Amino acid sequence: MAIAQASLERRRRRRPGHRPRSPRTPYVLIAPAVVAMLGFLVYPMASVVYYSLQHYNVTQPWDNGFAGLDNFRTLLFEDPLFWQSLGFSVRWVVVEVVLQLLFGLALALIVNETFVGRAVSRALVFSPWAVSGVLTTGIWVLLYNPQTGVSRYLADLGLMEYGAAPLADPDTVFAAAVLAELWRGVPFFAILLLADLQTVSKDLYEAASVDGASRIRRFFHITLPHLKDAIILSTLLRAVWEFNNVDLLYTLTGGGPAHQTTTLPLYVAATAAQSHDFGYGSALTTAAFLILTFFSIAYLRLSKFGAR
Amino acid sequence: MTTQTAPPRHDAPPAPPRPRHRPASAQRVSRWQIYVPLGLYLLFTLVPFYWMLVFALRPRGSSSLIPWPITLENFATIWNGLGFAVFFRNSLLVGAASLVATTVIALAGGYALARYDFRGKRLFMVAMLCTQFIPGAMMLIPLFEIFRTLGLVNTLWSLVIAETVFQLPLSLILISGFIKNIPMELEEAAWVDGCTRLRAFFAVVLPMLRPALVAVGSFAFIHSWNNFLFALMFISDQEKFTVPVGLAYTLGEFSVDFGALAAGGVVAALPVVLVFAVIQRYLVQGMSAGAVKG
């Protein structure tokens, strides 16, 4: 960068006719992005933090005013649903990210090989990546419904009982939601990891196999270390995304039955939309933001991201 | 992100002709080790799509798993009766506008980040990373208040703005990573030939950014096409619904019309699957050069 800058200076001096660029240029270029993000990301976030310190309930305006840390005290000590939804969020994120990573890695390794039909297979197995949460719900509602679903056709063949309704049964609802999200989540990892696999030097494999290293050894000593940063980054991005994402659970289970599948963001949305308690909803949001940021920094530190 | 950058694909020397023997990694994999797991996974991927197609295309009351004879009555129902024609148009408008806004803003900003040093650059980069932790779902209330102040509630503009803003950080990172990989000398050569900086940008940099632009543009379009919560919260007028909201309403009916639900699903899936089919090869490229390493 410094060298480029220096040679740039030289060029400019050499051509006196060239209008010198004012130092304002980069600011002008970046201004639209800054304005958009200040206005519609930073300011709303700041207002969330501000409201988290206020009593602000549309239905009880007489109580509105500065609250100090009241909202946070309630959240920590008096609200079992906060802890329950946080607990479910963690469980959801861990199960989804781990399974998506394992399947995504396996898939990336497979479609990285050379075989007939590779291009088509790639396009097909990656395709659920582009599907929305609502559409995923639509499709899996069809698949899970006792009248229209897979179970009915299996029952027709005598392979299982009629009337299985995975989404209504508290014992199976978690697994059912996990499977649906897995369906559209695995391609994310497969795409990212495949991109990184293609940058592994072929010579390394050649050398290792000349030295008689088995496929498994090559995987653990060449492939996995190479993928390390990509895996750390993609699991982090995915964890944050799965934590924040509400489309699928909102439409598939609505957080039920009996709040069993309510994540923290779903709980926030319900607090804001149903009880109109914006002050408390903001405190929940702030807590979620802090938890995510803290987790992300800790994750990057502990995993030694970027260190080889 | 790290500072380490992958060599750009566009100016890499042409690949040497493939050696006759297969690379060692492929040597000992037998075909069934590939085709069996791949086939199983393909089944898991494709059965849900197929299920949707069957319910969308087969006549009402049929329970056959082969949709024959094909009927389009479900599509007629949702397109005209349930208003998907309007939802489809709205989603297209929002998607196209967010695509253009995101790409243009990210292109300008990404160029500044890649090619200039200026005060506040580090702060801006850190802030961009932090925005990744902001739960979009939880910004609904403050965003709603802002749009109400601006008089944009219940307009498609609110969706375009929200989509663009949430798409910007990742797009900026991706595009600036790509621009950094384009050698500065190429641009300087164009200046020596008498191009202004702007002309050099259009003549030299822009053509090389194609994979990045395709990735960023299609991300923006797909995200905007798929977004549900913003449209659910900011839009109350049925004439301005987008496809996911329309689909969620079909789901929420007391007695779900499964044919209509499936047909709505096909309508919702078609544009993104088409876009995806076109871009998926660029996607892997764009990711490896920009997002992960840049």
Side-chain angles (χ1 to χ4, degrees), chain A residues 72-118:
Chain A
F72 290 99
R73 206 169 296 133
T74 314
L75 175 156
L76 286 175
F77 302 116
E78 290 159 28
D79 187 358
L81 260 181
F82 167 74
W83 292 105
Q84 192 192 323
S85 57
L86 182 62
F88 177 74
S89 286
V90 171
R91 192 163 146 231
W92 172 255
V93 168
V94 170
V95 170
E96 277 299 336
V97 171
V98 168
L99 290 178
Q100 287 179 22
L101 173 66
L102 291 179
F103 282 102
L105 181 59
L107 208 54
L109 289 169
I110 292 173
V111 296
N112 193 37
E113 298 289 340
T114 322
F115 59 93
V116 178
R118 182 172 74 169

Side-chain angles (χ1 to χ4, degrees), chain B residues 34-276:
Chain B
I34 290 175
Y35 287 121
V36 171
L38 185 64
L40 287 176
Y41 197 83
L42 271 175
L43 211 63
F44 173 55
T45 302
L46 296 181
V47 163
F49 281 126
Y50 182 74
W51 218 263
M52 175 173 76
L53 271 179
V54 167
F55 277 80
L57 290 174
R58 77 185 186 188
R60 223 159 273 266
S62 155
S63 63
S64 155
L65 278 185
I66 297 152
W68 195 261
I70 289 181
T71 167
L72 293 180
E73 62 175 318
N74 289 318
F75 289 95
T77 308
I78 58 144
W79 196 255
N80 304 319
L82 296 178
F84 268 68
V86 180
F87 308 158
F88 194 84
R89 195 206 60 190
N90 292 340
S91 278
L92 268 188
L93 283 176
V94 175
S98 333
L99 186 160
V100 172
T102 306
T103 316
V104 170
I105 298 177
L107 201 56
Y111 188 80
L113 288 175
R115 289 291 196 242
Y116 293 91
D117 271 319
F118 53 92
R119 283 174 57 140
K121 182 168 150 180
R122 271 189 70 85
L123 179 73
F124 182 74
M125 296 294 273
V126 171
M128 259 190 339
L129 288 181
C130 284
T131 59
Q132 295 304 299
F133 308 127
I134 297 181
M138 305 181 176
M139 302 290 277
L140 289 170
I141 300 165
L143 277 178
F144 186 86
E145 304 258 314
I146 293 172
F147 287 135
R148 198 172 55 187
T149 315
L150 297 175
L152 292 178
V153 165
N154 210 8
T155 65
L156 295 181
W157 287 112
S158 63
L159 301 183
V160 174
I161 293 173
E163 294 302 340
T164 304
V165 166
F166 271 86
Q167 239 1 75
L168 266 181
L170 214 58
S171 310
L172 273 164
I173 292 171
L174 215 120
I175 287 191
S176 78
F178 250 86
I179 294 179
K180 270 185 207 148
N181 283 341
I182 298 174
M184 190 69 196
E185 289 74 24
L186 286 176
E187 262 182 275
E188 290 175 345
W191 303 345
V192 171
D193 288 345
C195 279
T196 61
R197 186 148 196 171
L198 191 66
R199 272 201 59 187
F201 174 78
F202 280 110
V204 177
V205 181
L206 203 58
M208 300 184 98
L209 281 180
R210 227 176 88 167
L213 292 181
V214 170
V216 165
S218 54
F219 279 170
F221 179 82
I222 291 175
H223 271 265
S224 143
W225 181 271
N226 285 345
N227 192 294
F228 168 60
L229 269 194
F230 290 152
L232 182 74
M233 297 299 269
F234 301 152
I235 305 288
S236 52
D237 185 353
Q238 198 166 345
E239 282 292 298
K240 290 176 185 137
F241 277 1
T242 55
V243 170
V245 180
L247 197 61
Y249 272 87
T250 345
L251 262 171
E253 302 283 314
F254 282 110
S255 61
V256 181
D257 175 350
F258 290 104
L261 172 64
V266 173
V267 168
L270 216 52
V272 284
V273 169
L274 283 182
V275 170
F276 182 77

Side-chain angles (χ1 to χ4, degrees), chain A residues 205-214:
Chain A
Y205 286 120
E206 298 273 1
S209 85
V210 168
D211 291 347
S214 68

